[in-house]
Amino acid sequence: MNVDVAVVGGGPAGLAAALAAKEAGAPRVLVLERDFELGGILQQCVHDGFGLLRFGERLPGPAYMQRYIDALAQTDVQVLTDSMVLELTPERILYVASPAAGLLAVQAGAVVLAMGCRERTRNQIWLPGTRPAGIFTAGAVQRYINMEGILPGRRVVILGSGDVGLIMARRLTLEGAEVEGVYEVMPQPGGLTRNIVQCLEDYNIPLHLSHTVVDIHGEKRLTGVTVAQVGPDRRPVPGTERYIPCDTLVLSVGLIPENELSRGAGVELHPVTGGPVVDESMATGLPGVFAAGNAVAVFDLVDYVSATGEVAGRSAARYAAGELRDGPALAVQPGANVSFVLPQRLHPERVHAGVAFYLRVKESKERAQVVVRAGGEVVKTLLQVVVRPPEMISFTLTASELARAGAADLVVSVE
């Protein structure tokens, strides 16, 4: 099979990329989705709050995705669900396994990687104790309740204050479970402020900062956990241990961009984001391969995920048509109090209307200022009332502002 643009992943980034590629003139666009339906993780996110920036509405996840699925149905974009991409080669050949079609080889003019992200599990945080049933990731609990109609437990402890865990604390409470508390090893919450308020404070669910689970009890089924306070070095403080009886432990301890395909193809991955290094067109370092959404970095808003998908889709269509080729690029570096910034490379001559930047800070700060410098000269400043690590900062650098940067690399700081 030959296509102009192949999109791996049928979630918010993938569908936005496919629609944008089609609108940009790509004749043959193919979406490859490993699940049996389109929509990605948002199909199990029945709470509202999606689409505030894109549609000006607070939509549930399935409603947000349905708008893209409906739009896709109005095009001739080909969709293969229940189809797993096994390998991507540097020549942009995708090997795909599907129960219906068998093994396929897809030659693509350009590829958009939009595989999303996955959750950290117990093994990745070295959680000690026995290995009973009753320990789930927050996403698994979300799927059990919202998609399968199964309540996984009645008395729950949540480890980690990521957004999915906070949302599931509220969901479990509404379903009749007792959520004893949320325990966070860091001294500040890991999720959005609105989720702390709406999912914990509104339901009197306590949040215990600088605490972690130090032991798990139970043989066949979880019977309890031991929690303890941690010090600045994140090690348990002796004498602070407390046993909590429970039958369910929910882990909300971080997300990892899904990049096995990228790694296998030789795409350069960033050591902080865990996703591909990209330029302003969402192009990776591998010719003709683009990336978008949570496969690049874990975003806090789906609106940003869709926006990067649109950029990647349009760029992939241009590449497949022979209109976009790589060349010398400026580096975009994180400066003071910035853990990462996207994109990491920039071709100023390609920027006409402006380029969107996304970053996360290392530490919270009030009355902060985003500062973009080139060769030591300030080219843009942006005031922020408060900045927090869980909440992404996005801003646009215009073509005229970029012109002031000249040929110097950019450094983005939050001061």
Side-chain angles (χ1 to χ4, degrees), residues 16 36 57 127 139 235 245-246 290 294-295 350:
F36 65 90
E57 298 179 57
L127 201 57
R235 294 180 178 277
C246 61
F290 300 78
N294 287 334
R350 294 181 185 170

Side-chain angles (χ1 to χ4, degrees), residues 106-342:
V106 178
Q107 174 68 68
V111 174
V112 178
L113 300 172
M115 296 82 71
C117 57
R118 66 173 186 269
E119 295 175 284
R120 292 183 189 276
T121 65
R122 174 181 178 178
N123 288 344
Q124 290 162 318
I125 59 171
W126 301 93
L127 201 57
T130 57
R131 302 182 65 82
I135 303 172
F136 306 92
T137 64
V141 171
Q142 188 177 51
R143 183 171 183 90
Y144 276 132
I145 296 176
N146 295 345
M147 303 285 283
E148 312 294 341
I150 299 171
L151 187 62
R154 291 288 179 184
R155 191 167 188 182
V156 182
V157 168
I158 297 178
L159 176 59
S161 58
D163 287 309
V164 183
L166 299 177
I167 290 164
M168 292 320 297
R170 175 178 63 185
R171 190 78 173 100
L172 284 157
T173 301
L174 291 172
E175 291 297 327
E178 178 188 352
V179 179
E180 193 278 342
V182 176
Y183 294 81
E184 169 58 58
V185 71
M186 300 298 290
Q188 66 278 333
L192 296 172
T193 301
R194 73 182 190 196
N195 285 332
I196 298 292
V197 174
Q198 297 172 4
C199 301
L200 299 187
E201 295 178 5
D202 286 356
Y203 292 85
N204 297 317
I205 299 171
L207 171 62
H208 304 273
L209 299 175
S210 299
H211 280 74
T212 191
V213 172
V214 296
D215 204 358
I216 288 173
H217 307 276
E219 293 300 326
K220 292 185 178 180
R221 177 77 195 197
L222 182 70
T223 57
V225 297
T226 298
V227 300
Q229 186 178 346
V230 300
D233 58 358
R234 302 185 201 174
R235 294 180 178 277
V237 177
T240 63
E241 298 87 354
R242 179 165 63 93
Y243 176 77
I244 304 171
C246 61
D247 60 13
T248 302
L249 175 64
V250 178
L251 303 179
S252 181
V253 290
L255 302 168
I256 307 170
E258 185 87 48
N259 275 293
E260 277 66 26
L261 280 180
S262 317
R263 191 176 293 107
V267 172
E268 180 188 2
L269 301 182
H270 192 274
V272 175
T273 65
V277 173
V278 293
D279 68 10
E280 76 289 337
S281 65
M282 303 306 291
T284 71
L286 200 61
V289 177
F290 300 78
N294 287 334
V296 176
V298 177
F299 287 82
D300 59 345
L301 299 179
V302 71
D303 310 78
Y304 296 156
V305 169
S306 297
T308 61
E310 289 174 351
V311 173
R314 284 194 296 269
S315 304
R318 291 185 60 200
Y319 185 92
E323 301 173 358
L324 186 67
R325 289 293 180 265
D326 201 6
L330 306 180
V332 183
Q333 302 284 354
N337 197 24
V338 174
S339 60
F340 72 83
V341 60
L342 299 173

